[in-house]
Each structure stands twice: as structure tokens, then as C-alpha cells.
Amino acid sequence: MDVNAAVAAAAAIAGLCTGVIAMLAFRWSEREQKRPTRSSLRPDRGAPLPPGVDTVLSVLSSSAVVLDESDSVVKASSAAYALGLVRGGRLAVEPMLHMARDTRRDGEIRQVELDLPRRGTGRGEALAVSARVAPLGSRLVLLLVEDLTEARRIEAVRRDFVANVSHELKTPVGALSLLSEAVMDASDDPEAVERFAGRMQIEATRLTNLVQELIDLSRVQNDDPLEDAEPVRVDELVAEAVDRCRQQAGSKQITMASGGTSDLFVWGNRGQLAAALGNLVENAVNYSPARTRVGIAVHRMAASGGDLVEIAVTDQGFGIPEKDRERVFERFYRVDPARSRATGGTGLGLAIVKHVAASHGGEVTVWSSEGQGSTFTLRLPESGVARGRTRGPRIVNGRSVDDDGPYETDTFASFPAPEALP
């Protein structure tokens, strides 16, 4: 009996201890659940977020800030810190803070667009944002901020583009209208009718070219050239560009010369590449005086990411002032608007070249000296089709050079290098 009593007493003590430990563990767990976490609340103060709000805020693309009744930040997304909305646990933008206080007072949802100074830059660039404030429960206020800077920039570009297109279209259309009236008034004068009809053809051609280049620009901006990419022989691109401008160059007695490394290939859309190189050669012919020379040099150049094919188009024209060289690739930008009208230029050719080069992983650059001429250089990644073949000659100061030494080419040797132009 004594042994049984001892066993029973020991079991009772063990059960009591287990119960006490379980109760303490339950109390400790309950206390931990009620304690605010770093992800949901500030550790020092603030009201808890309603259930599910923390999860919703974590998936929003907008910058989110939750304020309590003392204007302290209860919750803020990383984007809010990146935009500089929150500093030192407080909302740093006064207009948004005033909106939050008004919403807390009357419960109304408010929205406003603001321009904020950009952090970390001394250039005075503004950050365009849209802020929306709404009550979150009885004690909290939710602030959602959208960054509109990029959307504003795109809208400004679109607005300028539409304005430029409208102006460019208005000129030939207005000229056609006036010339048609002149033809009607001079119906009894065959010579006048013939003269006005010739002018109408010129304006109609200008209008057609403008519309076509707008279509080309839209295509190179929206299409992926690598979807229909293929190895393109550079020699064929050069021959096509020369043939495209042969008649115009002949009328001005401009000699066109080409040379350099042959049998090179680039990878891309053949139509876009032909249009880009054709625009460079056409510009060189248009802006060159009569009885001068336009040259096209092709060679391979080594680069850290792989060999590049360099196509240089050189003219002996009027040159480009230094202040205009950085802007010649902008849409509708003209160095000399009067001369551009005389040559029939639309101001879109170089913009198309720039977009084609960028979409093919290359670049286009310009060297120019006033009164001496210009060289536009198109650099594109080599396709690799001809990598295993023997390297062709390189063009150095108008001379073709290979491993066996320099020799003169038939078509390009007599054309001076850019730095040697008179």
C-alpha cells in the first residue's frame, strides 16, 4: 500500500507540474501574439493595422504610408523611403501631411498632384507624383503615392511630336492648296500652269517622303528587328545605298566612292539596316556642294564585347556647328531649316538611323568640322557568319592595309580621311 500511495503521489505532482508549464506556455504565446512586430508597427508607438492591410500594402505598386493619430508613421513601403516621403519616422512632405490631417478630421478621401524636389540631384529636377489619402479605420490614415514622372515625360514627347508633325504636314499641304488655286487662275497661260504644276509635284513628293518617314520611324520604334533577323551582307547594303543616290549625285556631279573590308556581315533586319545606311548616304549627297566627293568606308573593329562592323559615310559639305552636333539625331531638328527645305529634308532621317542602330545593339556617331565636311559612323555588332574567313584589308587614311602591307584600292584610295579633308 505504501508503494502504491507513493506512486500515486508522484503521478499527481507530475501532472500538476505539467499543467503549470502548459499554462505558462499558453500565457507566453498569447503575449507574443499581442506584441507588435517590426513589419506591422513601429516598435515604440502606434495603433495596430486592421487584419489583412499589411498583406495588401505589401503587393501594391504604389508607395504606401500609414499614419496614426499623432502623424507618426505606422507602416511605410520601401518605395516611400526611396521617394523621400518618410524621414525619421515622420511624413516629410507638408502638403501630404495637411491632407492626411484633413482626412482624419472629416473622413473624406482626397487626391492631389504635386511636384517634389528629386533627392540626391542638384539640377532642380522635379518629381511628379499623384497622392491619394483615405481613412483606414477610426484612427489611421492611408496615403498612396504614384510616381508620374515617366508618364509626364512620355506625354511631353508625344505632345511635341504631334506639334512638329502638324507643322511639317501643314507646310506642303498649304503649298499644294495655294498652287492649285494659282493653276486655276492661270488656266489660260500654259507656261504658268506648267510652272505651278512642277511646284505641285515637288510639294507632293515632299509630303509623300514625310509620311513615309513617319511610317518608318513608327515601325523602327515599335517593332523588334530581331524577330525577323538574318545575316545581312554589308557589301549589299552599301551597294543599295549608293544605287539609291546615284541619280541625285550625278545631277550635282558628286563622285561616290566605297571601299574597305569586304565580305562582312551584321545580324538584323535587312530593310531597317538598308534604310538607315541609305539615309546617311542620302544626307551626305544632299548637303554636299557640287563636284565634291562622298565616301563610304567599311571595316571591322575590335571591341570588348565582340567585333563591330564600322560603316563611315564621309562628305565634303558645309559641316555641322559644334553646338548642333548633339541634337542632329533629334526628330525634326534641323541645323539650317532653310537649307533643309531646299533639299527636301524632313528632319527624321537621322532619328531613324539612331533608332535602328540602338535596336540592333549598335550606335551612330558624328564627326564634323565647319567648312570641311562631316563623317557619320554607324557601328553594328558583327554577325559572325564571316568570322572564320580571312580578314579583309583595313582602311587607314584612305589606304587599304592588310598583313602584307598597304595597297591602293580602285574606288576609295583617292578619297581623303575625315581629318585630312580640306
Side-chain angles (χ1 to χ4, degrees), residues 28 33 73 88 91 110 115 155 199 203 205 227 284 299 305 332 335 354 362 365 383 386-387 398 404 408:
W28 179 83
Q33 291 179 357
V73 176
L91 187 61
R110 289 175 169 81
D115 291 331
E155 176 62 22
R199 289 295 306 168
E203 295 298 334
T205 301
E227 288 184 358
H299 71 272
F332 298 109
V335 177
K354 178 182 177 181
T365 59
S383 128
R387 288 279 176 86
D404 297 328
E408 298 292 334

Side-chain angles (χ1 to χ4, degrees), residues 336-352:
D336 187 344
R339 185 179 298 162
S340 181
R341 283 194 296 270
T343 59
T346 63
L348 292 175
L350 291 179
I352 293 175

Side-chain angles (χ1 to χ4, degrees), residues 168-339:
E168 294 296 331
L169 290 174
K170 182 179 179 181
T171 302
V173 170
L176 287 171
S177 177
L178 292 175
L179 288 169
S180 63
E181 292 180 4
V183 168
M184 294 178 63
D185 294 339
S187 57
D188 297 333
D189 187 351
E191 293 183 0
V193 169
E194 183 178 358
R195 185 172 66 255
F196 292 141
R199 289 295 306 168
M200 291 178 68
Q201 287 182 342
I202 294 174
E203 295 298 334
T205 301
R206 179 181 178 186
L207 181 60
T208 301
N209 292 339
L210 175 58
V211 172
Q212 184 59 51
E213 291 200 347
L214 285 172
I215 295 173
D216 293 341
L217 181 60
S218 176
R219 183 177 294 117
V220 300
Q221 286 180 322
N222 297 327
D223 293 350
D224 183 2
L226 301 183
E227 288 184 358
D228 301 320
E230 59 179 333
V232 181
R233 188 186 295 271
V234 178
D235 294 342
E236 295 178 358
L237 296 178
V238 173
E240 185 175 334
V242 171
D243 188 64
R244 168 179 167 178
C245 304
R246 192 180 304 278
Q247 182 178 359
Q248 190 173 2
S251 64
K252 298 175 66 175
Q253 300 180 14
I254 293 176
T255 302
M256 301 185 68
S258 62
T261 308
S262 60
D263 209 23
L264 294 180
F265 288 78
V266 293
W267 185 265
N269 184 292
R270 192 185 190 287
Q272 292 189 13
L273 292 172
L277 183 57
N279 285 344
L280 291 180
V281 176
E282 187 175 13
N283 276 358
V285 172
N286 286 338
Y287 291 95
S288 291
R291 295 178 295 278
T292 56
R293 187 180 291 264
V294 170
I296 308 171
V298 180
H299 71 272
R300 179 192 288 114
M301 65 175 294
S304 58
D307 288 353
L308 300 176
V309 174
E310 187 175 89
I311 309 171
V313 179
T314 304
D315 63 60
Q316 294 175 304
F318 306 100
I320 303 172
E322 184 177 358
K323 63 182 179 64
D324 296 312
R325 290 172 199 162
E326 294 297 325
R327 301 193 60 189
V328 293
F329 297 103
E330 296 179 11
R331 290 172 293 188
F332 298 109
Y333 185 80
R334 296 181 176 91
V335 177
D336 187 344
R339 185 179 298 162

Side-chain angles (χ1 to χ4, degrees), residues 258 407-414:
S258 62
Y407 61 90
E408 298 292 334
T409 63
D410 294 335
T411 57
F412 196 75
S414 60

Side-chain angles (χ1 to χ4, degrees), residues 92-112:
V93 183
E94 285 296 326
M96 296 182 186
L97 186 59
H98 293 318
M99 287 175 57
R101 290 170 179 170
D102 293 339
T103 296
R104 185 185 301 111
R105 184 180 63 254
D106 54 25
E108 292 186 4
I109 298 175
R110 289 175 169 81
Q111 184 169 354
V112 68

